[in-house]
mmCIF file of all heavy atoms in Angstrom:
data_model
loop_
_atom_site.group_PDB
_atom_site.id
_atom_site.type_symbol
_atom_site.label_atom_id
_atom_site.label_comp_id
_atom_site.label_asym_id
_atom_site.label_seq_id
_atom_site.Cartn_x
_atom_site.Cartn_y
_atom_site.Cartn_z
ATOM 1 N N ILE S 47 -5.789 6.568 4.907
ATOM 2 C CA ILE S 47 -5.163 5.378 5.437
ATOM 3 C C ILE S 47 -4.438 4.728 4.293
ATOM 4 O O ILE S 47 -5.061 4.306 3.307
ATOM 5 C CB ILE S 47 -6.127 4.383 6.135
ATOM 6 C CG1 ILE S 47 -6.833 5.118 7.242
ATOM 7 C CG2 ILE S 47 -5.386 3.122 6.601
ATOM 8 C CD1 ILE S 47 -8.002 4.334 7.812
ATOM 9 N N LEU S 48 -3.147 4.626 4.344
ATOM 10 C CA LEU S 48 -2.312 4.039 3.285
ATOM 11 C C LEU S 48 -1.900 2.645 3.788
ATOM 12 O O LEU S 48 -1.313 2.562 4.863
ATOM 13 C CB LEU S 48 -1.075 4.876 2.989
ATOM 14 C CG LEU S 48 -1.375 6.281 2.559
ATOM 15 C CD1 LEU S 48 -0.078 7.056 2.347
ATOM 16 C CD2 LEU S 48 -2.226 6.419 1.333
ATOM 17 N N VAL S 49 -2.159 1.615 2.983
ATOM 18 C CA VAL S 49 -1.850 0.250 3.401
ATOM 19 C C VAL S 49 -0.867 -0.328 2.389
ATOM 20 O O VAL S 49 -1.217 -0.423 1.168
ATOM 21 C CB VAL S 49 -3.141 -0.606 3.450
ATOM 22 C CG1 VAL S 49 -2.789 -2.031 3.911
ATOM 23 C CG2 VAL S 49 -4.153 0.040 4.385
ATOM 24 N N GLY S 50 0.321 -0.641 2.841
ATOM 25 C CA GLY S 50 1.343 -1.234 1.953
ATOM 26 C C GLY S 50 1.736 -2.593 2.321
ATOM 27 O O GLY S 50 2.886 -2.879 2.750
ATOM 28 N N LEU S 51 0.853 -3.566 2.102
ATOM 29 C CA LEU S 51 1.106 -4.952 2.477
ATOM 30 C C LEU S 51 1.378 -5.784 1.224
ATOM 31 O O LEU S 51 1.557 -6.958 1.343
ATOM 32 C CB LEU S 51 -0.116 -5.567 3.207
ATOM 33 C CG LEU S 51 -0.416 -4.941 4.579
ATOM 34 C CD1 LEU S 51 -1.716 -5.487 5.084
ATOM 35 C CD2 LEU S 51 0.727 -5.099 5.584
ATOM 36 N N GLY S 52 1.332 -5.225 0.051
ATOM 37 C CA GLY S 52 1.518 -5.940 -1.181
ATOM 38 C C GLY S 52 0.224 -6.489 -1.677
ATOM 39 O O GLY S 52 -0.777 -6.646 -0.947
ATOM 40 N N VAL S 53 0.142 -6.717 -3.001
ATOM 41 C CA VAL S 53 -1.050 -7.178 -3.629
ATOM 42 C C VAL S 53 -1.069 -8.666 -3.552
ATOM 43 O O VAL S 53 -0.024 -9.348 -3.695
ATOM 44 C CB VAL S 53 -0.966 -6.778 -5.120
ATOM 45 C CG1 VAL S 53 -2.140 -7.387 -5.882
ATOM 46 C CG2 VAL S 53 -1.007 -5.280 -5.305
ATOM 47 N N PRO S 54 -2.201 -9.342 -3.215
ATOM 48 C CA PRO S 54 -3.498 -8.794 -2.932
ATOM 49 C C PRO S 54 -3.730 -8.600 -1.443
ATOM 50 O O PRO S 54 -4.786 -8.252 -1.007
ATOM 51 C CB PRO S 54 -4.437 -9.782 -3.535
ATOM 52 C CG PRO S 54 -3.730 -11.143 -3.288
ATOM 53 C CD PRO S 54 -2.262 -10.820 -3.411
ATOM 54 N N ARG S 55 -2.724 -8.933 -0.600
ATOM 55 C CA ARG S 55 -2.957 -8.901 0.872
ATOM 56 C C ARG S 55 -3.489 -7.582 1.356
ATOM 57 O O ARG S 55 -4.363 -7.538 2.200
ATOM 58 C CB ARG S 55 -1.646 -9.210 1.536
ATOM 59 C CG ARG S 55 -1.708 -9.320 3.003
ATOM 60 C CD ARG S 55 -0.405 -9.849 3.608
ATOM 61 N NE ARG S 55 -0.441 -9.665 5.055
ATOM 62 C CZ ARG S 55 0.636 -9.292 5.791
ATOM 63 N NH1 ARG S 55 1.748 -9.002 5.188
ATOM 64 N NH2 ARG S 55 0.506 -9.128 7.054
ATOM 65 N N GLN S 56 -2.987 -6.417 0.798
ATOM 66 C CA GLN S 56 -3.428 -5.118 1.293
ATOM 67 C C GLN S 56 -4.890 -4.874 0.913
ATOM 68 O O GLN S 56 -5.608 -4.287 1.700
ATOM 69 C CB GLN S 56 -2.538 -4.025 0.739
ATOM 70 C CG GLN S 56 -2.573 -3.844 -0.779
ATOM 71 C CD GLN S 56 -1.453 -3.056 -1.322
ATOM 72 O OE1 GLN S 56 -0.480 -2.744 -0.634
ATOM 73 N NE2 GLN S 56 -1.588 -2.638 -2.506
ATOM 74 N N GLU S 57 -5.295 -5.362 -0.234
ATOM 75 C CA GLU S 57 -6.714 -5.180 -0.664
ATOM 76 C C GLU S 57 -7.661 -5.934 0.222
ATOM 77 O O GLU S 57 -8.700 -5.476 0.644
ATOM 78 C CB GLU S 57 -6.892 -5.527 -2.169
ATOM 79 C CG GLU S 57 -6.343 -4.535 -3.089
ATOM 80 C CD GLU S 57 -4.792 -4.531 -3.263
ATOM 81 O OE1 GLU S 57 -4.192 -5.536 -2.850
ATOM 82 O OE2 GLU S 57 -4.272 -3.518 -3.693
ATOM 83 N N PHE S 58 -7.233 -7.165 0.571
ATOM 84 C CA PHE S 58 -8.085 -7.994 1.463
ATOM 85 C C PHE S 58 -8.119 -7.315 2.837
ATOM 86 O O PHE S 58 -9.191 -7.295 3.469
ATOM 87 C CB PHE S 58 -7.527 -9.420 1.616
ATOM 88 C CG PHE S 58 -7.652 -10.227 0.338
ATOM 89 C CD1 PHE S 58 -6.561 -10.983 -0.148
ATOM 90 C CD2 PHE S 58 -8.851 -10.275 -0.355
ATOM 91 C CE1 PHE S 58 -6.721 -11.717 -1.282
ATOM 92 C CE2 PHE S 58 -8.974 -11.077 -1.467
ATOM 93 C CZ PHE S 58 -7.928 -11.772 -1.969
#
Side-chain angles (χ1 to χ4, degrees):
I47 301 169
L48 304 177
V49 181
L51 298 173
V53 174
R55 185 173 167 219
Q56 65 195 14
E57 285 76 19
F58 291 132

